[in-house]
């Protein structure tokens, strides 16, 4: 990695367990294709031996070192909300920041995770009915997908999580933001009927990764034309999506959300519009090149 002279855009990613992240390669290759002088560095808190509570100091150090921006991932997305000068409205509504841009006289917190899922739905499942959706998993990724669904026109959203408190908390937050929408937290017993009535299901738990095999719900209850979206992208074809495809359901893999958030971040940082399709082709080649279907890696 180049250390001097400093590139025009120096950008970082900070979070836990991110050494295998594909985000640096996605940003750098697309930025080079756009003719930008751009470098992206990873700051893994575990490797640095620093606690998440150091995030404020890390942002100050980055700013002082000439960074243009920092992407933020687990477990710092909520911590950063109170550390920036200005929150972009969607980040404020979501209560989570995954991009901090160092402007000359202020720091601005953005959230591009929800944009990634929204763009994924638009490009990967064009025309899909968002009318009534069930979402399984209400953690970090689930907050972004729920927000994107409601912003995209979902009128009825059922939220399920094995941790009922998480589903309740996300329901409460989303009801505040979308008071005229029907938003419910449902338990395991209610899930099959909810799935049977849904026009689509979003899966936002880690199930389907190699260390979490299986599926989080029973596909037999899916309505005939229901679509299925997964946020997991290592592997891109999860057991869930493989079985849904075999049953004839339209599917959306987690790769589009991952590319979409990176594409939006790059655009916000540089003001230049990336080529989303080129980024996606590159991302899928990177996943294939990992040589094994699930190389573990980061959740961001
Ligand atoms: P998280 O730990 O914040 O949330 C996961 C949630 O799933 C938790 O609330 C947990 O209680 C719940 N859960 C786990 N197993 C469950 C089950 N069987 N049934 C119901 N609920 C269950 O994790 P996260 O950051 O939201 O990440 C989740 C997955 O999303 C990971 O695989 C991660 O790699 C992926 N992810 C993808 C993207 C993307 O851009 N595609 C972005 C972020 C995360």
């Amino acid at each position: 990695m180049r250390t001097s002279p400093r590139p025009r855009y120096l950008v970082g990613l900070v979070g836990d367990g991110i050494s295998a992240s594909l985000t640096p390669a996605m940003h750098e290759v697309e930025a080079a294709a756009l003719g930008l002088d751009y470098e992206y560095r990873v700051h893994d808190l575990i490797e640095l031996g620093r606690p998440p509570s150091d995030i404020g100091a890390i942002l100050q150090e980055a700013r002082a070192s000439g960074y243009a921006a920092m992407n933020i991932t687990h477990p710092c997305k909520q911590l950063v909300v109170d550390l920036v000068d200005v929150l972009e409205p969607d980040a404020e509504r979501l209560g989570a920041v995954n991009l901090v841009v160092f402007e000359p006289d202020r720091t601005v917190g953005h959230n591009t995770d929800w944009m990634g899922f929204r763009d994924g739905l638009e490009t990967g499942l064009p025309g899909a009915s968002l009318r009534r959706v069930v979402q399984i998993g209400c953690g970090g990724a689930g907050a972004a997908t729920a927000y994107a669904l409601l912003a995209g026109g979902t009128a009825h959203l059922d939220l399920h999580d094995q941790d009922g408190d998480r589903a309740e908390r996300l329901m409460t937050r989303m009801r505040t933001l979308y008071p005229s929408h029907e938003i419910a937290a449902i338990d395991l017993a209610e899930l099959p009927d909810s799935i049977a009535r849904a026009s689509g299901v979003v899966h936002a738990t880690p199930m389907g990764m190699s260390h979490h095999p299986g599926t989080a719900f029973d596909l037999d209850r899916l309505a005939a034309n229901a679509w299925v979206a997964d946020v997991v992208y290592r592997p891109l074809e999860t057991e869930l999506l493989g079985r849904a495809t075999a049953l004839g359901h339209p599917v959306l893999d987690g790769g589009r959300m991952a590319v979409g958030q990176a594409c939006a971040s790059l655009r916000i940082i540089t003001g230049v519009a990336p080529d989303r399709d080129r980024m996606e082709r590159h991302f899928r080649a990177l996943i294939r090149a990992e040589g094994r279907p699930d190389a573990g890696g980061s959740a961001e």
Side-chain angles (χ1 to χ4, degrees), residues 73-74 77 113 116-117 136-144 160-164 166-167 169 188 191 203-209 211-212 215-217 230-234 253-261 283 296-300:
T73 190
H74 178 79
K77 289 183 186 180
D113 287 330
F117 188 69
I136 297 150
C138 299
H160 171 72
D161 196 292
Q162 66 183 11
D163 178 342
R166 284 195 160 203
R169 280 201 299 275
L188 196 56
L191 190 56
H203 171 254
T205 90
M207 283 195 79
M209 301 180 80
H211 49 289
H212 292 285
T215 63
F217 67 95
D230 206 337
V231 299
V232 174
Y233 60 87
R234 277 173 161 147
D253 67 43
R256 289 195 183 246
M257 179 178 179
V259 172
Q261 65 79 19
F283 174 80
S298 66
E300 56 74 34

